[in-house]
Amino acid sequence: MNQGLQFTASYTYSKTIDDISGNAGGSDSDVTETNSFFQDKSLFRGLSAYDARNVFSLGSTYELPVGAGKRFGGGMGRRANKVAAGWEIGGILTLRNGFPGSISIGNRLTAIGIQNERPDLVFGASGNPIQGQSAGCDISNTGVINPPGSIAPGTAGRIIAPGTALGTAETYFDPCAFAQPPARTFGNLGRNTFTLPGFASLDINLTKNTALTEAANLQFRFEAFNLLNRVNLGNPIRNVFDNAGRPSATAGRIENSQTARQIQLSLKLIF
């Protein structure tokens, strides 16, 4: 604006829907799934893989008003001016909702050209079960979702206790909301129905520019990415059943995070 301050800010609210996103090879964009078997592309109509409902960004730089010709320290000597002048501070704040994701099951139908399968949605359940609490269930190794406490002795499975909080790293979405489709049928769950974890980060930089000669400038930079070291969760395991109908004990679990705080120093000669 003036006095060495510059900033830019933007907010976007949007929604985008398509049948396929991006180029072949993307996370949900295997074109053979759409073109080699299904004639009705509406089966794949859903949120785009890059749909982020709310995105806010704020970036700013400020040249500290110290040194010759500035508000403070204008009468400093040459050596003091070399040390105290030429400092800038800046940063970028990024906030956005998560992108959409699809729940999947082990593919049983590759022989007839199906590239990806999705499960059935349990009656009354949400296709985006990432908020609130789970009603609880026992998932036996037959792939059948049973009421709590009914798991047969000696069978493998994951018990989701009633009241289990959703949206956490341990249970990001509710595995109890999905069931294995009957043999030779497609699951009724749509594409990209649930929201992956969002992202928030504050990056800052501190820069010192020192004029060596009329044609050369020495620049020192201190940069910190994700300064507050906020935990931005990675993507959950989205496969809820294998191709034999056995449930995944890790479905809905997040086992990684996005970039933690990183700090770097640099020195650059510009001439």
Side-chain angles (χ1 to χ4, degrees):
M1 304 255 302
N2 60 23
Q3 304 298 322
L5 174 66
Q6 303 177 57
F7 70 89
T8 177
S10 66
Y11 168 72
T12 304
Y13 176 80
S14 64
K15 182 177 181 179
T16 174
I17 297 173
D18 60 20
D19 302 317
I20 190 169
S21 300
N23 299 318
S27 62
D28 72 335
S29 54
D30 191 332
V31 294
T32 58
E33 180 181 8
T34 303
N35 297 330
S36 67
F37 185 82
F38 294 117
Q39 301 303 314
D40 184 2
K41 292 186 179 181
S42 67
L43 293 172
F44 297 91
R45 189 168 180 78
L47 294 174
S48 302
Y50 49 84
D51 174 79
R53 196 57 42 86
N54 297 277
V55 179
F56 174 76
S57 178
L58 171 66
S60 179
T61 61
Y62 179 52
E63 182 181 347
L64 299 183
V66 179
K70 305 294 184 181
R71 182 179 303 177
F72 304 104
M76 289 188 301
R78 182 172 176 273
R79 291 183 179 180
N81 190 74
K82 288 283 187 183
V83 175
W87 289 94
E88 295 180 2
I89 187 169
I92 299 175
L93 174 66
T94 303
L95 306 170
R96 67 162 173 79
N97 291 135
F99 297 112
S102 293
I103 305 294
S104 64
I105 62 174
N107 194 352
R108 308 162 298 169
L109 305 173
T110 54
I112 56 173
I114 304 301
Q115 302 298 316
N116 296 290
E117 277 200 85
R118 295 186 287 271
D120 277 342
L121 183 64
V122 173
F123 180 77
S126 167
N128 188 24
I130 63 172
Q131 295 181 334
Q133 299 177 338
S134 172
C137 63
D138 290 347
I139 307 178
S140 74
N141 63 2
T142 62
V144 179
I145 296 183
N146 302 299
S150 65
I151 192 168
T155 59
R158 180 181 175 189
I159 299 176
I160 307 295
T164 296
L166 304 176
T168 67
E170 179 62 25
T171 312
Y172 182 74
F173 65 78
D174 189 2
C176 304
F178 309 105
Q180 179 82 345
R184 300 180 181 86
T185 64
F186 300 120
N188 60 23
L189 185 69
R191 164 180 166 261
N192 283 348
T193 61
F194 88 109
T195 306
L196 297 167
F199 180 83
S201 181
L202 174 63
D203 305 333
I204 68 163
N205 67 80
L206 180 65
T207 304
K208 172 69 167 74
N209 291 299
T210 303
L212 300 179
T213 67
E214 291 185 358
N217 185 61
L218 186 66
Q219 184 182 84
F220 166 77
R221 292 180 65 89
F222 166 87
E223 297 173 310
F225 304 98
N226 192 8
L227 173 68
L228 303 180
N229 205 26
R230 182 184 187 274
V231 177
N232 289 295
L233 295 175
N235 292 334
I237 297 172
R238 291 177 270 177
N239 200 72
V240 292
F241 297 104
D242 66 16
N243 55 13
R246 293 183 294 262
S248 168
T250 57
R253 183 175 295 163
I254 296 177
E255 299 181 337
N256 57 75
S257 62
Q258 301 180 54
T259 304
R261 178 170 52 216
Q262 295 182 343
I263 296 176
Q264 66 183 27
L265 304 174
S266 65
L267 190 64
K268 179 164 53 176
L269 178 63
I270 303 170
F271 59 92

